[in-house]
Amino acid sequence: MNISLTIPKTLDVTAIRKEFPILNREIKGRPLIYLDNAATTQKPQQVIDAIVHYYTNYNANIHRGIHTLAEEATADFEQTRDVVKTFIGAGSREEIIFTKGTTESINLVAYTWGRKNIRAGDEIIISNMEHHSNIVPWQILCEEKEAILKVIPINDAGELILDEYEKMLGSKTKLVSIVHVSNALGTVNPVKQMITRAHEAGAVVMVDGAQSAVHLDIDVSDMDCDFFAFSAHKLYGPTGVGVLYGKKELLESMPPFQGGGEMIKEVTFNKTTFNDLPYKFEAGTPNIADVIAFKTAIRFIESIGKEKIREHEKELLEYAHQELEKIPGLHIIGKARDKISVVSFIIEKAHPQDIGILLDNRGIAVRTGHHCAQPLMDRFSIPGTARASFAVYNTKDELDELVNGLKRAVKILA
Ligand code: PMP
C-alpha cells in the first residue's frame, strides 16, 4: 500500500508573521519591512510572553534561595542550559556557559584561556572577514603577550583562501578563531575541515557562530571545535544572553573570568576555591528572565524546523541576487559559492548611508556601514555596504519593495 505523507514542504509564512507583533508596525506610513536580521531578529509573541510570565509569576534570584520562587526560577533557568546543550549537540550541560553575548563569550576565552596559554612568539590565526568582536580581543591579547596575529586572506568572491591558511598553520599556531558565517558577506566557511587541520597542527579552535547558529544545524561535537560562541538575540531570542560552549577539559583548565557570586565554592580572606562548571564562569546574578525566554526562542525555531527555514531563506537570497543585479550601478559584495541569508551591496555614486535613509522613508530597514568588519571593507576598498539580511518571516513581496525602493534611490542619488 502506498501511503503518501502530507507534510507541507514550504513554510506558512503568513501564519509565522502573525506570531511577530512588531511586523504590524507602520514606519512613516508604510508597513515595516524588516531586513536587518543579521543585526538582530524580531521576537515572536511567545518569547515576549515568556519574559512577562517570569516577572509576573516567579521572579527570584537563582541558585541560592530555598523558597519556592527561587526554586522555580532556578529550574527554569537551568532547563534552558539543557535545551541549548541539545540544540548545539554539546556533550554535557557543564559545557554551556551563559554570557551576555558572542562578544563576551569570545572575550571570556581571550582573557582566561588566552592569558594562561599564549606566550611571546605564539601565533593566533583569524581571517579577513571577522567581526570586530573576533579581532579586537585577540589583538589586545597579542599586544600584551607579544604574540603574533595572522590573518587568512579572502578572494574577490569573499571566500577564505584555504591554501594560505594551510601555509600559516605550524608549530607556533596556538589558536585559530574563525567566523562560521560572515555577517557582512553571508559566506559560510568550511569550519569542520579547518578545525581538523588546526588540530593536526596542535592548535585550539574557537568558532564565532553569531550568524550561523540560527541558520545552520550546529553540532559542536561533530564539528569538534574547542569553543563556540553565539547570541540569543540573533535567534529570535532576547538581547543580553549569549552562550559559550567549551570542551569540558579546556573549561576546567581555565582560570575564572570574573570573581563574585555563584562562581565560588568557599571564600576566606586567605583563599577562594572556585565552583564547578559551568558556574565557575557565571559570576554575579545572570540575566535570568532572558535566559529563561531563550529556550522559548529555540523551541520556536525547532517547531518550524531549521531545514525548512533554510530552504525559505535560500529562495529569498536567490531571488534577491537575481533582482538586485538588474539594478544599474548596483554591485553585490560577496558572492561565495556557499552563502546564506545576507546580501551586501554598493551602488555607484551613492553612499550606503543615503541608501539606508531613502529606504527607511519607505519603511524598509536595512543596515548600512562597515558592519563591524572594517578590515573586510578595506579589503574591498569600500567604506561600507548596504546589507539586507533575511529571516523566516520575510517574503518575496518585501524584496520587491526593496528593489522598488532601490530603483527610486538610484534615480534620486545618481
Ligand atoms: N560575530 C559576528 C559574526 C556577528 O555578526 C556579531 C553581531 N553582529 C558578533 C560577533 C557580536 O555579537 P554580539 O553583539 O551579540 O555580542
Side-chain angles (χ1 to χ4, degrees), residues 38-39 101-104 131 133 179 181 183 208 210-211 231 233-234:
T102 307
T103 305
E104 193 180 52
H131 187 280
S133 295
V179 71
V181 172
N183 64 311
D208 172 355
Q211 294 295 335
S231 305
H233 70 95
K234 294 182 198 278

Side-chain angles (χ1 to χ4, degrees), residues 14-302:
T14 311
I16 288 169
R17 287 179 69 85
K18 287 198 182 119
E19 298 195 42
F20 289 82
I22 206 169
L23 298 179
N24 294 322
R25 257 206 77 168
E26 289 198 344
I27 305 285
K28 297 174 183 164
R30 286 166 175 266
L32 166 67
I33 295 177
Y34 187 75
L35 297 172
D36 194 16
N37 295 288
T40 196
T41 51
Q42 297 301 342
K43 320 305 171 199
Q45 187 64 51
Q46 47 198 288
V47 170
I48 300 166
D49 287 347
I51 296 168
V52 174
H53 183 67
Y54 162 75
Y55 282 123
T56 309
N57 295 292
Y58 52 101
N59 170 48
N61 212 330
I62 55 168
H63 294 135
R64 277 155 274 176
I66 50 140
H67 58 79
T68 303
L69 296 187
E71 279 182 0
E72 285 176 9
T74 303
D76 211 4
F77 179 93
E78 287 300 327
Q79 207 187 342
T80 300
R81 207 184 301 276
D82 294 321
V83 171
V84 170
K85 171 196 162 255
T86 309
F87 185 66
I88 62 167
S92 73
R93 66 192 318 280
E94 288 93 340
E95 296 178 319
I96 306 298
I97 315 289
F98 289 118
T99 64
K100 68 181 166 72
T102 307
T103 305
E104 193 180 52
S105 298
I106 297 172
N107 274 279
L108 190 158
V109 175
Y111 277 91
T112 60
W113 182 90
R115 268 150 193 81
K116 189 171 174 198
N117 292 288
I118 298 294
R119 317 237 176 290
D122 285 348
E123 293 175 359
I124 293 175
I125 298 179
I126 57 170
S127 87
N128 200 169
M129 66 172 84
E130 299 308 320
H131 187 280
H132 296 165
S133 295
N134 197 29
I135 300 174
V136 183
W138 308 121
Q139 242 170 5
I140 295 171
L141 177 66
C142 285
E143 203 159 304
E144 197 180 303
K145 297 287 185 176
E146 294 178 16
I148 297 148
L149 193 63
K150 294 197 149 185
V151 181
I152 310 166
I154 60 172
N155 62 24
D156 291 341
E159 296 162 324
L160 295 178
I161 303 176
L162 292 173
D163 288 349
E164 295 298 322
Y165 170 59
E166 296 278 336
K167 282 186 217 155
M168 278 175 194
L169 287 167
S171 59
K172 288 186 178 164
T173 314
K174 289 292 170 318
L175 177 83
V176 175
S177 191
I178 194 83
V179 71
H180 197 177
V181 172
S182 157
N183 64 311
L185 305 172
T187 308
V188 181
N189 289 320
V191 285
K192 194 172 170 187
Q193 176 193 338
M194 294 176 76
I195 290 165
T196 306
R197 290 294 299 110
H199 284 167
E200 282 164 8
V204 161
V205 185
M206 166 133 217
V207 176
D208 172 355
Q211 294 295 335
S212 64
V214 68
H215 304 291
L216 303 178
D217 297 317
I218 305 298
D219 184 337
V220 289
S221 303
D222 177 60
M223 198 191 286
D224 200 25
C225 55
D226 299 290
F227 299 107
F228 187 90
F230 63 108
S231 305
H233 70 95
K234 294 182 198 278
L235 288 91
Y236 310 101
T239 51
V241 177
V243 171
L244 171 68
Y245 157 82
K247 280 185 183 160
K248 200 170 167 189
E249 60 276 18
L250 276 172
L251 291 174
E252 268 167 353
S253 74
M254 284 153 53
F257 182 33
Q258 294 173 334
E262 194 56 27
M263 54 74 72
I264 58 94
K265 246 184 196 149
E266 200 181 351
V267 179
T268 68
F269 283 118
N270 284 333
K271 189 174 166 54
T272 293
T273 48
F274 304 127
N275 207 341
D276 298 325
L277 290 176
Y279 311 111
K280 183 171 96 175
F281 293 106
E282 292 180 358
T285 301
N287 188 347
I288 303 166
D290 295 309
V291 168
I292 283 174
F294 182 28
K295 70 173 149 324
T296 309
I298 292 176
R299 285 176 180 151
F300 165 78
I301 294 171
E302 287 178 334

